[in-house]
Amino acid sequence: MNTVTPVILPLTINVQFNDPETVRNNLDPYSPKSMTYHFVANADHPLNIQLVDVPFEHVLVSIYSPSGLFVSSLTFKSKLAYFHLPLLEESGLWKLVVTHFHPLNGNGLIALHQGEIHVNSTNMAFDFTSTASAATSSAPRWYKGDFHLHTHVSDGNESLEHLDELCNQSGLDFYTITDHNLAVRSLRDDKLPTHSMELTLDDNGHINFIGLTQPLDIHSLTKQAKTVHEAAELCIKAAKEQGALVSLNHPFNPHTGARYNFDITLFDTIEVCRPYREGKLSIDDAKSVKAFDELWSRGYRLFAVGGSDFHAKVRSEYIRPGKPITHFQANSLSSASVTTALKLGHSFITKDCEVEYQISQQQTGKPVLWGQAVDAHYPILFSGACQESVKWQLMINGKIATCVENSEAEFIFELSEGDFARIEARNEEGNLKVFFNPIYCGKPARHPIEWLPLKAHIESQLH
């Protein structure tokens, strides 16, 4: 640990990374490394933080008050240079800790001062307050939105204000900002669970936390971890203690897929549907859906979500907010209602299409909700329609039971104890257009499996 002599601001910190080389996808056991710097700051003045010249990496900067309170965090993997904390509440010896979770070589400059706030500076103060309108309950209804979006506070290209406009233009009822390792306040806090983030200690496993109730002090949680895998699971457990939803993101992405042997029981959802270029088969989606069915067949009930992973890259013509859309049924857009709906699988996914459907008990006409348990040997009726011809597939226990190629389809089926069924629609290229979460019968026996052997098995089949 490197510690500089405490000085009164202004101060420029030269952070030195001393690993032999930079290895982003390092899978050797690696312990998180931290460097601590102290400085004297005064209350009732803002603290200005400038990333003068830093590596564009998943490096975490954590700030602590003289009393030891975790005050803020930011990341080197940011499109911004200027940040601030308004009107500090304590005078005295403050602490800044730089933490990295994969091998890095080189240096970075951080400037700290108290004075006038830069015009382009972003406020990094935590605001975990809620609004009355966000918690107002009503009759259950369907909402649509996007659970995976980035702003320029991390590596997205859009401001929060412009992202809000894009989400409005896409007709979304809600969106969650999942900037890297940062819970950033949203603009429309009456319409979404605002406090979410994407945990990205390195690029060997990206994980969304949706519905945090307090700041997540990643440095303090992980400083005793012996490996990055252990650090990630410590963060997951801390997020779950807050009641947050934990989602495994793009697990088969060749650059940022899940390459640690994660404890599958820690996850509530898995991303199975992402953007794709028209006319090109999304092999990552195919693998994720296969993993989803394998996990369900072995008794693991993780439900499916979609996410645009929007960064506003010009080259990504088909990556926009709401591509895909995750629809869910809840009685409000409070954080608790949203996360509960997704944890229970009361949701489905559409990608660049509209869908109409009905699913009910055939004899009584009583509606069935996705993610719901149904009685054994009780006929279920499903009818669905898209505005284009698609391949509808009824999947029972991960296998195709019935297939219809048309804009419309109707299925009648029954489940036995331990069975699960889901329905999907694909276009002629084989890409997902609609993915309904399963309904199931009874409590399945769990057949333990580890993530990495499952991943290797699927990748050997689909490549």
Side-chain angles (χ1 to χ4, degrees):
M1 178 182 293
N2 297 327
T3 303
V4 301
T5 303
V7 297
I8 298 175
L9 302 182
L11 168 67
T12 298
I13 299 171
N14 185 4
V15 183
Q16 295 288 140
F17 302 102
N18 296 316
D19 291 311
E21 60 179 329
T22 295
V23 184
R24 293 179 182 84
N25 293 98
N26 173 62
L27 282 171
D28 294 328
Y30 187 82
S31 298
K33 294 183 179 180
S34 296
M35 291 162 278
T36 301
Y37 305 88
H38 293 93
F39 58 92
V40 175
N42 297 315
D44 299 323
H45 296 278
L47 174 64
N48 297 289
I49 310 152
Q50 181 183 359
L51 302 180
V52 179
D53 183 15
V54 298
F56 192 64
E57 303 283 352
H58 292 297
V59 174
L60 181 71
V61 178
S62 305
I63 301 171
Y64 300 87
S65 72
S67 63
L69 179 68
F70 175 47
V71 175
S72 187
S73 61
L74 54 110
T75 177
F76 279 10
K77 199 175 184 68
S78 172
K79 294 294 180 68
L80 299 182
Y82 300 96
F83 304 87
H84 73 271
L85 289 170
L87 302 182
L88 302 185
E89 296 183 357
E90 296 182 49
S91 294
L93 190 63
W94 286 69
K95 181 169 70 173
L96 182 147
V97 182
V98 177
T99 308
H100 60 108
F101 297 86
H102 66 271
L104 276 176
N105 180 270
N107 69 297
L109 293 177
I110 307 173
L112 305 174
H113 71 90
Q114 290 192 283
E116 185 176 350
I117 297 173
H118 192 279
V119 64
N120 294 322
S121 182
T122 293
N123 182 356
M124 295 303 291
F126 294 125
D127 186 348
F128 276 64
T129 57
S130 60
T131 64
S133 57
T136 300
S137 296
S138 61
R141 55 158 288 196
W142 285 97
Y143 299 95
K144 59 182 182 177
D146 193 330
F147 283 102
H148 196 165
L149 300 160
H150 295 272
T151 74
H152 59 189
V153 174
S154 66
D155 60 346
N157 290 336
E158 297 289 1
S159 67
L160 177 56
E161 292 78 9
H162 192 206
L163 179 60
D164 184 71
E165 292 177 12
L166 293 173
C167 289
N168 275 312
Q169 292 169 10
S170 298
L172 300 179
D173 297 306
F174 71 95
Y175 60 89
T176 51
I177 297 168
T178 52
D179 275 324
H180 297 287
N181 302 323
L182 309 171
V184 180
R185 176 179 170 82
S186 72
L187 291 178
R188 298 194 293 165
D189 60 352
D190 62 328
K191 288 194 173 183
L192 70 158
T194 57
H195 305 116
S196 306
M197 60 180 277
E198 185 175 23
L199 183 75
T200 53
L201 304 183
D202 60 10
D203 283 332
N204 295 313
H206 290 192
I207 302 157
N208 271 354
F209 298 152
I210 309 295
L212 294 166
T213 58
Q214 56 185 309
L216 199 66
D217 184 358
I218 295 173
H219 164 69
S220 295
L221 286 169
T222 62
K223 61 185 178 182
Q224 301 302 324
K226 295 181 175 58
T227 65
V228 183
H229 177 193
E230 180 185 349
E233 293 204 342
L234 287 169
C235 291
I236 293 172
K237 291 173 183 177
K240 290 183 76 70
E241 287 176 2
Q242 295 187 28
L245 176 139
V246 178
S247 189
L248 184 59
N249 292 346
H250 41 71
F252 290 91
N253 183 284
H255 307 292
T256 56
R259 284 181 283 267
Y260 291 123
N261 204 25
F262 289 119
D263 178 355
I264 300 168
T265 63
L266 293 174
F267 295 90
D268 301 299
T269 58
I270 181 172
E271 226 175 44
V272 303
C273 189
R274 304 186 70 237
Y276 60 87
R277 288 188 179 276
E278 204 66 40
K280 183 177 180 181
L281 178 64
S282 176
I283 191 65
D284 292 345
D285 280 5
K287 293 176 181 178
S288 296
V289 170
K290 181 67 174 175
F292 180 89
D293 286 335
E294 289 280 354
L295 290 170
W296 269 76
S297 296
R298 293 175 177 270
Y300 293 88
R301 287 186 180 154
L302 280 71
F303 289 100
V305 292
S308 69
D309 200 1
F310 178 66
H311 288 74
K313 296 175 181 176
V314 175
R315 64 178 176 80
S316 302
E317 180 183 351
Y318 293 96
I319 300 179
R320 293 291 182 268
K323 292 189 175 186
I325 291 173
T326 300
H327 308 250
F328 70 92
Q329 188 187 85
N331 59 5
S332 79
L333 284 173
S334 69
S335 179
S337 292
V338 172
T339 55
T340 296
L342 295 180
K343 288 176 183 179
L344 294 175
H346 298 336
S347 56
F348 65 94
I349 304 161
T350 60
K351 184 187 285 187
D352 293 323
C353 75
E354 300 284 340
V355 62
E356 296 181 359
Y357 73 92
Q358 289 184 335
I359 182 168
S360 61
Q361 297 176 352
Q362 185 183 31
Q363 294 175 350
T364 65
K366 183 179 179 181
V368 174
L369 184 61
W370 307 114
Q372 181 178 321
V374 297
D375 294 331
H377 309 298
Y378 211 104
I380 302 297
L381 172 63
F382 169 86
S383 60
C386 280
Q387 73 270 40
E388 61 185 276
S389 181
V390 292
K391 180 184 288 187
W392 294 90
Q393 295 186 147
L394 168 64
M395 311 289 295
I396 296 181
N397 298 331
K399 308 295 183 183
I400 299 175
T402 309
C403 179
V404 175
E405 293 193 42
N406 202 337
S407 60
E408 299 180 359
E410 182 175 286
F411 301 126
I412 299 174
F413 59 96
E414 299 179 11
L415 298 181
S416 300
E417 185 73 18
D419 287 349
F420 69 95
R422 65 174 183 82
I423 295 165
E424 64 178 34
R426 295 178 179 271
N427 63 10
E428 61 182 8
E429 287 85 19
N431 281 300
L432 279 174
K433 302 296 284 185
V434 184
F435 185 101
F436 294 105
N437 265 309
I439 59 174
Y440 58 93
C441 179
K443 186 175 182 180
R446 179 170 290 175
H447 305 283
I449 187 172
E450 294 183 325
W451 169 251
L452 284 183
L454 172 61
K455 185 173 185 286
H457 171 67
I458 290 169
E459 289 181 326
S460 69
Q461 294 181 318
L462 302 172
H463 53 271

